[in-house]
Amino acid sequence: MSQGTEQVEESSNLADSVLDQIEDWYHIPALALLLGFMLWVRLQSYDRFIVNGEVFFSGNDAWYHLRQVQYTVNNWPATMPFDPWTYYPYGTSVGQFGTLYDQLVATAALIVGLGNPSPHTVELTLLVAPAVFGTLVALPTYFVGKRLGGRLGGLFGVLVLVLIPGEFLRRGLVGFSDHNVVEPFFQTLAVLAMMVAVSVAERERPVFELLADRDFAAVRRPLGYSVLAGIATALYLWTWPPGVLLIGIFGVFFMLKLTADYVRGISPDHLAFVATVSMGVTGLLLLVPFGSASFSTTKFSLLQPLIAFAISIGAGFMTWLAREWDDRDISTMLYPVAIFGILTVGTLVVSVALPNLFNLIQTNLVRFIGFNAGAAQRTIGEAQPFLQGQQSLASAVIPQYGLMFFTAIVGALVMVWRSLSVDEHEAEKLLVLVWTAFIIAAAFTQVRFNYYLAVPVAVLNAYLFGWILRVVGFDSSARDTIRNVEIYQVLAVVFVVMLVIPGLVMPVQVGNTRTATATQMGNSTAPGDVTQWDGTLNWMQTNTPQEGNYAGAGNEMEYYGTYTEGDGDYDYKQGTYGVMSWWDYGHWITVEGERIPNANPFQEGATTAANYLLAQNESEANGVLDELGDKNEQTKYVIVDWKMVETNGQQGNVKFFAPTVFKEGVSSGTYFDYIYSQNGRFARHKQPYYDSMMVRLYRYHGSSVEPKPIVMDWETTTRNGVQYKVTPSFVSQNANDTTIKRFDSMQKAREYVRNDPGGTSQIGGIGPYPSERIPALQHYRVVKESQSQSTQVYSHYQILRQRLGLLQQAGVGGQDYFRTSPSWVKTFERVPGATVQGTGPANTNITASVQMKTDTGSTFTYTQHAKTDQNGKFTMTLPYSTTGYDQWGTDKGYTNVSVRATGPYEFRTPMKSGGDGFQFTNGTAQVSEGQVLGEDDSPVTVSVDQQQTIPVSGANNSTGNNSAGPSTPGNQTDGNSSAGNGSVGNNSTGNESSSLPNPASPLTRAGLVGAYAATLVVARRD
């Protein structure tokens, strides 16, 4: 042989060797590159979650996981059995929080921290956990895709998963440290293990007799893989107890496959072997974290092992029945009839014998896969239906999956077609189809479950891609493929890959929505509103008494203590207290504030919170709190943010509508509706809105409020059979036909409304202007305003700008709009209040007012009214103190209030004309902090007997909130919420004036802020 020939042969052998190596190992570097890119996408926004060294998380549940992880670090490997630091005054069993996920993160923190991690290390570990787990989902996805479509198919499935920008990516981004993205990891792992187990069983055909004969060698592989499938399923349930649906999915698969096999003449023994062993193992392992001897989907209870054992026994029963069928020579076609008949009878028996269990399963099936969401469920953003309103399928699906959802459906159809046409009846493919069908139902029922659907979409695309490669002849070795590639084969692959680009690689316009790529989404996440609450909650940690030490009780609770309470109603000691707010904020209060919320994002206490926040008077609100626990269990603080009182905006961005769902007998229409104009819609507030507790706290700080001579006017129009309220200019097309009208007196305003023939007008109803007088709160005071302002949010600024624009058209100035600071968050304390015993002219209205100043620099005036009796005596209960703050701080078990008086209370009578001006009598008094807190039970005494005269020429410069002219108020005691028949002069709140200011400057953002700043100057001139 010549040297040249030898060189050619050596070169050819070397090329073959290289191609062999590529064929054997190409998937490993490819997979590593995909995983690296996947992790990078998820960690892009890492720096945004660390602010001045403090670690933040996005959403709500991540914060409670931080508490659970830290507890597990302190007590490894134990998780918290019961938590009294939430859902006051009951406490809660943590259920789906404090599970395998928290144990894994805690273990990682212990490793990183060399056995003693600092809290900061724990926080950072939890911060990146979703990105890591989100990336790891690609591994079981690859192996499932590989089983269906080969190695190239598996890689293609991972590529699809990497590029999917929807819920799956969002819940795997840095900071979204909930357990969500861990669920698809363990679920896919369980599905993969079950696929392997049923495939092995189909090949080796194990039967139960081999186990009975202890011939373990004959069933070693089927038995081993079945045990692994059972373990993998249990791991998923250990991560998320409500994932019991997966056991149900396996149950449906085994029922269908065993029945179909028997009808086709195949013994059901083999797959029944897998079902019995795997689900038996799962049931046994679910007894390990067992915590509740009841039936619950959210906690480790009897439900999870019961369903697993039921499927295990049911599969064995189906095998026994099949043998009985053979022995009696009954037609195989009657077998499925018998199975479904027995299943129906069994369901009826359970519904009668165990109605609670039946109702629990039925309710959760509807909730998870029933394409239906209840009203309360719809208040949870992630539980909204996938398709809402007039939304099309494409506009919902493409932002989540690009075109890959539709190609996945094609892949499923090809899989079904091949099972029918070429007799491909592999069990693992039917398992994937059943799994996909259930997950699609779940995803379309609740939008959040799209983080599950991403994996079935990826693996079905893996199958479709692998099938196309086989069709075009790309299923041979790498050597043959490269040497014999045809142009049509290349074009086919390019066409498939091109399907990935729209919506995944390149943004596209779908309806009114432009899609975002995975890279764009990964670079756009941030902690969210918790950063605006952070200052308030940090203040609460150091400026309110420790739990258990209110009023110096000395029963401080250990924050990371181990608590157990069998009946779920914790016995709180004297000195503990609750913090009322909407349930969304409960975990922030627990973790950031280290205080106990009455309601939390488990929706525990949601109804109570709604009843309190929407209560129409102070007595009703206090009654809600007093009914919660015994005398030792009191709620002492209320936190309200601007979103809780805002009605304009989309659900999720504003929250006033949510409590209306939980409060019985009301709806959002009880409190507001909308008026439409050419520029959008704005809310028309009804009096119950202004009377609600959270509005009276946030907007007025508990002060009394008088209506102003402002009238909202509208017209009605009908379109498509629906009646709408619209602005008059919307109908007349006359720009001067305004919605807001301003009058010189309340009498004229009331006459206009009374004589409106269509009944399409009302006094007030916009911004801070109520229709009727609102009495003062006697037992609540604001103790902290956040430095952050609601006007920082552009969408809210736009809403305020719209309202102020409407008011300016009627000549109402912006400086009258802000009665109190538009702080993002406001904290209030419930106090006994100081008793005032005063004297003044008989049968006369008395107004008490005091100017308060917050640590943000804002000021407001608290006002309360009373009426003297025939002997000239009156009483009041005042919630704000004016002196003695430093004597009653946290060292005494009380609050270091950040809102303090600038002077004493002023008590005065209405002005009357006479002589050269307007005359009234007044008096002043100091109210001590001890009197407000009930530590000093001596009453405040005051005599309203000092004669004062304001010359007519100086009337417009009258003190406080007096009007420019005389007033003839009706019965304006705060015990009567009627509007009275007087003008709005003397007894208005804060900086109100009956002669409304002239319009402010144009409504730029600076102008809006300036309007608020003006209120700080003119709030009180005395």
Side-chain angles (χ1 to χ4, degrees):
M1 184 180 296
S2 67
Q3 185 177 357
T5 303
E6 290 176 353
Q7 290 177 344
V8 170
E9 288 181 352
E10 288 177 1
S11 176
S12 177
N13 291 335
L14 178 62
D16 289 343
S17 176
V18 170
L19 289 175
D20 288 339
Q21 292 295 318
I22 292 174
E23 184 175 359
D24 290 339
W25 300 104
Y26 74 90
H27 60 288
I28 294 180
L31 188 60
L33 286 173
L34 290 172
L35 291 176
F37 177 74
M38 202 172 182
L39 183 62
W40 171 79
V41 165
R42 284 154 173 75
L43 289 175
Q44 285 181 89
S45 300
Y46 174 85
D47 291 341
R48 295 178 190 161
F49 290 86
I50 303 175
V51 182
N52 298 323
E54 184 176 359
V55 179
F56 289 92
F57 302 91
S58 59
N60 301 314
D61 290 346
W63 290 93
Y64 198 74
H65 276 295
L66 175 61
R67 172 165 170 76
Q68 296 299 323
V69 169
Q70 184 63 64
Y71 178 91
T72 304
V73 166
N74 298 346
N75 300 273
W76 193 88
T79 57
M80 187 178 294
F82 183 87
D83 191 5
W85 280 84
T86 188
Y87 190 29
Y88 192 84
Y90 306 106
T92 189
S93 175
V94 294
Q96 57 186 301
F97 291 78
T99 61
L100 179 62
Y101 167 61
D102 304 281
Q103 291 173 316
L104 291 173
V105 177
T107 302
L110 285 166
I111 294 172
V112 173
L114 301 178
N116 187 29
S118 67
H120 187 68
T121 299
V122 174
E123 291 166 356
L124 290 176
T125 305
L126 181 63
L127 181 68
V128 302
V132 173
F133 278 110
T135 301
L136 290 177
V137 175
L139 293 178
T141 301
Y142 167 75
F143 287 107
V144 173
K146 179 185 175 183
R147 295 188 65 83
L148 297 175
R151 281 190 296 183
L152 278 174
L155 288 174
F156 183 76
V158 172
L159 175 65
V160 170
L161 192 70
V162 167
L163 297 177
I164 283 176
E167 285 293 309
F168 173 73
L169 172 61
R170 188 172 75 85
R171 291 167 189 274
L173 293 175
V174 61
F176 200 102
S177 301
D178 200 354
H179 51 259
N180 294 159
V181 79
V182 189
E183 299 165 32
F185 171 75
F186 281 108
Q187 185 184 84
T188 308
L189 191 65
V191 171
L192 172 63
M194 192 63 75
M195 290 172 66
V196 174
V198 297
S199 295
V200 170
E202 281 189 320
R203 287 197 306 269
E204 302 195 8
R205 300 183 177 277
V207 292
F208 291 102
E209 285 77 5
L210 294 173
L211 281 179
D213 295 338
R214 297 187 179 184
D215 188 2
F216 295 111
V219 294
R220 179 177 58 85
R221 281 170 51 82
L223 179 63
Y225 283 114
S226 296
V227 170
L228 289 176
I231 293 173
T233 305
L235 289 176
Y236 170 64
L237 270 294
W238 282 2
T239 303
W240 195 54
V244 68
L245 177 65
L246 179 62
I247 300 179
I249 292 172
F250 288 156
V252 171
F253 157 70
F254 282 118
M255 182 185 66
L256 294 176
K257 183 59 176 172
L258 294 178
T259 303
D261 279 352
Y262 182 73
V263 171
R264 292 171 50 238
I266 300 174
S267 172
D269 284 42
H270 320 309
L271 292 184
F273 180 92
V274 176
T276 299
V277 173
S278 63
M279 293 298 96
V281 169
T282 297
L284 290 173
L285 291 176
L286 289 175
L287 294 176
V288 175
F290 177 75
S292 176
S294 61
F295 295 109
S296 172
T297 56
T298 59
K299 302 175 182 178
F300 293 112
S301 67
L302 291 172
L303 179 67
Q304 291 86 359
L306 177 64
I307 293 180
F309 287 137
I311 294 172
S312 177
I313 296 170
F317 171 79
M318 289 182 68
T319 299
W320 170 84
L321 186 64
R323 293 184 180 185
E324 291 295 315
W325 228 251
D326 289 337
D327 292 342
R328 290 168 171 75
D329 197 24
I330 303 174
S331 171
T332 57
M333 299 307 296
L334 294 178
Y335 182 78
V337 176
I339 292 297
F340 286 103
I342 292 170
L343 185 63
T344 302
V345 172
T347 302
L348 293 175
V349 170
V350 171
S351 68
V352 173
L354 297 170
N356 291 336
L357 174 60
F358 178 81
N359 291 333
L360 177 68
I361 295 174
Q362 181 186 47
T363 299
N364 280 279
L365 281 175
V366 172
R367 180 185 174 195
F368 278 79
I369 59 172
F371 298 93
N372 184 37
Q377 185 176 319
R378 289 173 183 265
T379 65
I380 308 173
E382 63 182 17
Q384 298 286 319
F386 191 27
L387 298 178
Q388 301 186 46
Q390 302 300 316
Q391 187 180 26
S392 67
L393 179 63
S395 63
V397 165
I398 291 179
Q400 291 277 346
Y401 308 104
L403 299 176
M404 293 298 98
F405 177 83
F406 301 106
T407 55
I409 298 300
V410 173
L413 294 174
V414 170
M415 194 178 291
V416 172
W417 167 69
R418 287 188 62 80
S419 70
L420 298 176
S421 63
V422 295
D423 200 28
E424 286 185 356
H425 295 289
E426 294 98 328
E428 63 179 358
K429 292 180 180 177
L430 177 61
L431 173 58
V432 169
L433 289 173
V434 172
W435 174 47
T436 300
F438 273 91
I439 299 303
I440 287 176
F444 277 75
T445 301
Q446 295 187 32
V447 66
R448 61 175 169 177
F449 289 129
N450 279 276
Y451 64 80
Y452 277 107
L453 184 56
V455 178
V457 165
V459 299
L460 285 173
N461 274 284
Y463 170 78
L464 181 63
F465 186 72
W467 176 74
I468 291 175
L469 291 181
R470 290 192 299 272
V471 168
V472 298
F474 261 130
D475 58 343
S476 56
S477 68
R479 182 189 304 107
D480 295 337
T481 297
I482 293 175
R483 289 176 174 173
N484 304 313
V485 64
E486 299 286 346
I487 187 64
Y488 77 91
Q489 295 174 320
V490 175
L491 292 176
V493 174
V494 169
F495 173 74
V496 173
V497 173
M498 288 292 289
L499 292 175
V500 177
I501 294 177
L504 296 187
V505 178
M506 181 183 298
V508 296
Q509 193 76 24
V510 185
N512 297 323
T513 303
R514 185 169 180 80
T515 65
T517 65
T519 302
Q520 290 171 333
M521 280 194 65
N523 195 36
S524 62
T525 185
D529 291 355
V530 69
T531 57
Q532 311 301 329
W533 277 66
D534 184 58
T536 293
L537 296 174
N538 288 338
W539 174 90
M540 178 165 271
Q541 274 197 43
T542 56
N543 292 278
T544 61
Q546 295 295 312
E547 287 288 354
N549 195 42
Y550 194 90
N555 294 315
E556 289 90 345
M557 294 177 62
E558 186 179 354
Y559 184 64
Y560 283 114
T562 299
Y563 302 91
T564 55
E565 190 67 27
D567 60 2
D569 186 0
Y570 189 75
D571 185 15
Y572 291 89
K573 295 181 179 180
Q574 181 77 31
T576 60
Y577 56 87
V579 178
M580 174 59 71
S581 189
W582 187 231
W583 62 259
D584 289 26
Y585 306 121
H587 293 337
W588 297 354
I589 294 169
T590 296
V591 180
E592 285 275 84
E594 294 190 7
R595 298 298 180 262
I596 311 177
N598 294 96
N600 59 43
F602 306 144
Q603 288 198 340
E604 293 173 327
T607 298
T608 297
N611 290 338
Y612 174 85
L613 296 170
L614 295 175
Q616 293 294 286
N617 56 66
E618 188 172 10
S619 176
E620 178 187 346
N622 289 339
V624 171
L625 299 182
D626 293 340
E627 290 176 0
L628 288 179
D630 60 30
K631 63 180 181 180
N632 292 333
E633 299 172 328
Q634 299 292 314
T635 294
K636 292 296 184 180
Y637 297 91
V638 183
I639 306 181
V640 184
D641 74 349
W642 70 269
K643 291 190 173 186
M644 293 167 62
V645 301
E646 183 55 69
T647 53
N648 264 72
Q650 296 180 344
Q651 295 182 6
N653 294 329
V654 297
K655 300 184 183 296
F656 184 89
F657 81 95
T660 67
V661 175
F662 287 85
K663 185 175 175 63
E664 186 176 354
V666 303
S667 66
S668 60
T670 305
Y671 305 93
F672 67 94
D673 54 23
Y674 293 107
I675 295 177
Y676 293 83
S677 69
Q678 292 89 339
N679 299 320
R681 70 180 188 180
F682 57 92
R684 177 183 75 99
H685 295 141
K686 303 176 184 180
Q687 188 62 27
Y689 167 83
Y690 293 102
D691 286 334
S692 66
M693 196 68 178
M694 59 182 168
V695 172
R696 293 168 71 178
L697 290 171
Y698 183 87
R699 288 193 180 276
Y700 311 119
H701 293 179
S703 181
S704 65
V705 185
E706 296 296 327
K708 287 290 186 72
I710 295 172
V711 170
M712 179 181 287
D713 197 8
W714 66 90
E715 302 291 340
T716 59
T717 186
T718 301
R719 292 190 176 182
N720 299 323
V722 180
Q723 190 177 74
Y724 295 93
K725 294 180 176 65
V726 296
T727 60
S729 60
F730 191 89
V731 176
S732 66
Q733 301 300 314
N734 182 357
N736 295 322
D737 201 355
T738 61
T739 300
I740 308 300
K741 295 176 170 56
R742 167 186 166 189
F743 294 84
D744 295 332
S745 68
M746 284 299 300
Q747 181 178 358
K748 291 182 179 179
R750 296 188 190 283
E751 286 178 357
Y752 180 88
V753 173
R754 185 167 53 249
N755 296 327
D756 184 358
T760 56
S761 60
Q762 72 172 59
I763 293 173
I766 185 172
Y769 304 113
S771 300
E772 301 174 3
R773 189 173 64 83
I774 304 172
L777 299 177
Q778 300 178 340
H779 301 285
Y780 293 88
R781 61 176 181 176
V782 61
V783 292
K784 171 65 178 176
E785 288 185 337
S786 67
Q787 297 286 342
S788 57
Q789 304 285 303
S790 66
T791 49
Q792 297 170 211
V793 180
Y794 183 74
S795 60
H796 190 231
Y797 154 73
Q798 291 284 68
I799 293 169
L800 294 175
R801 187 174 184 273
Q802 179 192 41
R803 290 175 184 157
L804 287 168
L806 291 168
L807 290 165
Q808 282 191 352
Q809 291 178 18
V812 182
Q815 63 265 38
D816 188 62
Y817 186 90
F818 293 104
R819 307 302 177 86
T820 59
S821 161
S823 292
W824 195 296
V825 188
K826 299 182 182 182
T827 305
F828 301 85
E829 183 181 15
R830 182 187 178 190
V831 292
T835 300
V836 176
Q837 295 179 353
T839 58
N843 300 314
T844 301
N845 292 305
I846 303 294
T847 298
S849 60
V850 63
Q851 186 187 53
M852 307 297 298
K853 185 175 182 179
T854 75
D855 61 341
T856 65
S858 67
T859 60
F860 67 93
T861 300
Y862 171 82
T863 303
Q864 188 180 141
H865 307 298
K867 188 174 183 179
T868 60
D869 60 19
Q870 59 186 2
N871 298 318
K873 296 181 179 181
F874 70 92
T875 60
M876 288 181 174
T877 301
L878 299 175
Y880 288 94
S881 58
T882 59
T883 62
Y885 299 108
D886 296 334
Q887 300 174 22
W888 300 100
T890 53
D891 56 334
K892 295 292 183 65
Y894 289 107
T895 310
N896 291 327
V897 296
S898 296
V899 180
R900 302 189 174 189
T902 61
Y905 275 90
E906 179 186 3
F907 300 82
R908 65 178 181 271
T909 60
M911 288 186 292
K912 298 180 180 179
S913 60
D916 296 330
F918 302 107
Q919 298 177 344
F920 62 96
T921 60
N922 72 344
T924 60
Q926 298 282 7
V927 176
S928 73
E929 181 77 351
Q931 289 172 310
V932 166
L933 295 173
E935 290 284 355
D936 179 357
D937 57 6
S938 63
V940 177
T941 58
V942 62
S943 296
V944 187
D945 56 5
Q946 301 175 32
Q947 293 290 333
Q948 300 287 335
T949 300
I950 298 179
V952 173
S953 61
N956 286 333
N957 295 318
S958 59
T959 62
N961 52 3
N962 290 343
S963 68
S967 147
T968 56
N971 183 13
Q972 292 181 326
T973 62
D974 279 330
N976 184 348
S977 62
S978 64
N981 57 8
S983 67
V984 296
N986 300 0
N987 297 316
S988 60
T989 301
N991 62 334
E992 291 186 61
S993 168
S994 63
S995 54
L996 294 172
N998 291 326
S1001 58
L1003 288 172
T1004 61
R1005 182 183 289 274
L1008 182 61
V1009 175
Y1012 164 56
T1015 68
L1016 307 184
V1017 178
V1018 303
R1020 293 283 289 171
R1021 296 191 180 96
D1022 57 341

